[in-house]
Amino acid sequence: MKKKVAIIWGLTGQDGSYLAELLLQKKYIVHGVKRRSSLINTSRIDHIYQNPQSKIRNFFIHYGDLSDYGNIFKLISDTKPDEVYNLAAQSHVDVSFQKPEYTADINALGTLRILEAIKNLNLANKTKFYQASTSELYGLVKEKKQSENTPFYPRSPYGVSKLFSYWITVNYREAYNLFACNGILFNHESPRRGETFVTRKITRGLSDIIVGNINCLYMGNLSAKRDWGHAKDYVRMQWLMLQQKKAKDYVIATGRQYSIRDFIVKCCKHLGIQITFNGSGLKEVGIVNNIKNNKYPHLKSGDIIIRVDKKYFRPSEVETLLGDPSLAKKKLKWSPKYNINDLVEEMMNSDLKAAERDKFIKDNF
Ligand code: NAP
Ligand code: GDD
């Protein structure tokens, strides 16, 4: 049987790396796009090449950028993909306030450029398209639980750029009969999550505190609530959406939400640390209450390990996100393998190892 060909924009990111693994397991020929950078930016996919049973013959990496239509057109023309996954983006909400035009160019027009290339190459009958849409579209939420029918109200240049991409994907489906769908994905994390997103900042920061690399972690809005899942579970759904008979948009979420404070408490619990939060606003602090077996020589009861710094607050915040994945559960048989505690455990264990390695290097070299 002829192997399916897929191309992934955003290969070097969290989701791109897990999706490449999944598609290679499914015997696809995978093309991925990476940006030129002054430092090597392939740490999330290097293991695919390093695997002794290398899937290298099915795995091709190309330079590219979503700002460059000619490059996009050529990649699609050369590979004639069965499936295109657009996971590339300036994906940091806070950064989008500082780089609004760049964010719009890549996240909004970048999507249009891919869709235009598929259309102009007359591939609408062959190529299926997945767009990485987001729960940030709901922003100032209009319903307690957000589903495919909840109105959008984005709250950042990132959210607004993704609103364009959502609608241009729907428009190309309706106008040109392209198999194009939006996955409206709620926050999903993993040990491969970028280090400046809140969950990873917490798991890394707490790991650095307990090995003695730092004393305290500075955070923004601790009361924001998110519906967090595991990236591995979510990339499976990206693939599944393109295997359906009819293109449709789906919410992917767990249906449970926790505050940033809750996430910190869970991570501390995993480490055997009891933490209490005292005070409010910028004066709120997280204090160590008790440490199981007194196992961390650098920490003692009464230590303040969390403080709030206003520089991490956003000009307009998304206070709460909670997804309703009923449609995906029914039609795609969605059921995540990981819960929040599994996620915390995997992220904490991975970052603890990294912090211990850093400490060893600092102490010995
Ligand atoms: P990520 O780790 O930040 O990865 C983003 C990818 O896009 C990286 O490979 C990055 O390349 C690439 N990229 C950035 N600018 C580009 C450009 N100008 N041209 C080409 N590629 C570019 O994000 P993620 O967490 O995997 O998320 C994947 C997608 O899902 C994103 O579109 C994000 O907005 C969306 N999304 C994410 C979540 C979530 O919770 N993770 C939820 C909903 C939607 P470098 O590696 O070189 O930086
Ligand atoms: N990054 C960060 N750093 N966020 C903090 C901090 C901090 O020190 N302190 C509190 N927060 C709060 C933010 O204000 C926000 O309310 C929440 O933690 C989550 O922030 P992020 O982890 O940066 O993610 P996000 O929800 O803004 O965006 C992510 O999820 C979206 C889906 O809802 C990104 O992955 C987006 O690309 C994605 O679309």
Side-chain angles (χ1 to χ4, degrees):
M1 211 172 79
K2 206 168 162 263
K3 285 186 173 174
K4 279 194 182 174
V5 177
I7 181 159
I8 305 172
W9 267 273
L11 173 75
T12 54
Q14 171 188 254
D15 287 11
S17 65
Y18 284 119
L19 182 66
E21 284 172 6
L22 180 82
L23 296 179
L24 287 167
Q25 274 162 22
K26 292 187 181 298
K27 310 284 181 222
Y28 277 61
I29 294 173
V30 177
H31 295 269
V33 183
K34 73 165 181 176
R35 299 191 287 176
R36 196 271 155 183
S37 80
S38 65
L39 287 172
I40 291 171
N41 60 353
T42 52
S43 61
R44 292 180 175 114
I45 50 168
D46 285 342
H47 63 283
I48 299 179
Y49 277 106
Q50 286 156 8
N51 183 341
Q53 297 161 332
S54 180
K55 289 138 185 156
I56 211 159
R57 277 168 300 129
N58 293 337
F59 187 43
F60 303 93
I61 302 182
H62 309 266
Y63 280 109
D65 198 294
L66 276 190
S67 60
D68 186 339
Y69 177 73
N71 168 267
I72 293 169
F73 185 91
K74 183 161 187 329
L75 286 174
I76 294 181
S77 173
D78 288 351
T79 57
K80 304 273 183 312
D82 299 289
E83 296 172 15
V84 169
Y85 295 87
N86 178 24
L87 310 182
Q90 189 303 92
S91 71
H92 204 283
V93 173
D94 197 24
V95 171
S96 79
F97 287 99
Q98 290 158 58
K99 298 173 70 178
E101 184 180 336
Y102 175 77
T103 301
D105 186 18
I106 301 312
N107 297 8
L109 296 183
T111 307
L112 177 63
R113 291 181 187 113
I114 298 178
L115 288 166
E116 268 292 284
I118 296 172
K119 173 176 79 84
N120 292 338
L121 285 160
N122 295 319
L123 288 171
N125 287 331
K126 172 182 168 78
T127 302
K128 295 180 170 181
F129 176 76
Y130 173 86
Q131 170 56 22
S133 284
T134 164
S135 46
E136 278 290 303
L137 294 172
Y138 301 116
L140 192 62
V141 299
K142 297 292 152 202
E143 286 176 319
K144 194 168 183 315
K145 268 195 151 186
Q146 299 91 51
S147 74
E148 293 79 3
N149 302 317
T150 305
F152 297 139
Y153 194 132
R155 292 272 281 172
S156 62
Y158 170 83
V160 176
S161 71
K162 287 281 188 174
L163 186 70
F164 177 90
S165 281
Y166 172 91
W167 280 115
I168 204 67
T169 300
V170 173
N171 181 246
Y172 272 55
R173 179 166 77 214
E174 293 174 355
Y176 305 112
N177 212 15
L178 188 68
F179 190 110
C181 48
N182 288 289
I184 308 174
L185 270 53
F186 282 62
N187 298 48
H188 46 281
E189 321 292 309
S190 73
R192 295 186 199 167
R193 183 58 144 154
E195 289 158 5
T196 59
F197 295 97
V198 76
T199 54
R200 189 75 201 287
K201 178 170 166 178
I202 293 166
T203 56
R204 260 180 72 94
L206 290 176
S207 301
D208 277 334
I209 288 172
I210 66 168
V211 304
N213 289 337
I214 61 170
N215 297 322
C216 183
L217 185 58
Y218 290 81
M219 303 294 306
N221 178 8
L222 295 171
S223 302
K225 291 182 179 153
R226 290 292 183 273
D227 177 331
W228 283 297
H230 194 297
K232 262 192 182 173
D233 278 329
Y234 286 46
V235 300
R236 217 172 53 243
M237 302 314 291
Q238 298 171 354
W239 171 77
L240 209 49
M241 278 180 225
L242 296 197
Q243 312 314 309
Q244 304 307 301
K245 285 220 168 76
K246 210 168 171 273
K248 209 171 171 22
D249 308 318
Y250 291 94
V251 161
I252 305 295
T254 69
R256 286 169 179 263
Q257 69 173 182
Y258 299 91
S259 68
I260 311 303
R261 214 177 274 108
D262 295 334
F263 193 86
I264 296 172
V265 171
K266 278 186 177 295
C267 291
C268 285
K269 192 168 169 208
H270 174 80
L271 296 167
I273 298 170
Q274 207 181 57
I275 185 171
T276 351
F277 285 91
N278 285 346
S280 63
L282 296 177
K283 298 231 166 83
E284 183 166 356
V285 289
I287 306 173
V288 174
N289 226 351
N290 195 16
I291 307 166
K292 213 175 183 177
N293 306 330
N294 255 345
K295 56 183 180 179
Y296 307 120
H298 300 286
L299 267 190
K300 57 183 184 322
S301 295
D303 281 353
I304 294 179
I305 56 169
I306 304 288
R307 288 186 187 275
V308 176
D309 185 330
K310 67 172 188 289
K311 84 171 174 206
Y312 296 113
F313 283 73
R314 296 167 184 187
S316 45
E317 172 66 299
V318 173
E319 291 290 349
T320 171
L321 289 173
L322 175 61
D324 173 1
S326 307
L327 184 70
K329 281 197 161 158
K330 193 168 156 214
K331 295 252 181 198
L332 304 178
K333 310 281 177 254
W334 162 235
S335 97
K337 291 185 180 150
Y338 291 81
N339 66 30
I340 185 88
N341 295 325
D342 304 326
L343 179 67
V344 164
E345 186 180 333
E346 195 183 322
M347 291 181 74
M348 277 302 335
N349 289 345
S350 163
D351 275 331
L352 263 175
K353 266 196 207 144
E356 275 156 9
R357 213 169 36 234
D358 288 352
K359 170 104 176 104
F360 179 80
I361 290 169
K362 213 164 81 186
D363 291 350
N364 291 285
F365 295 97

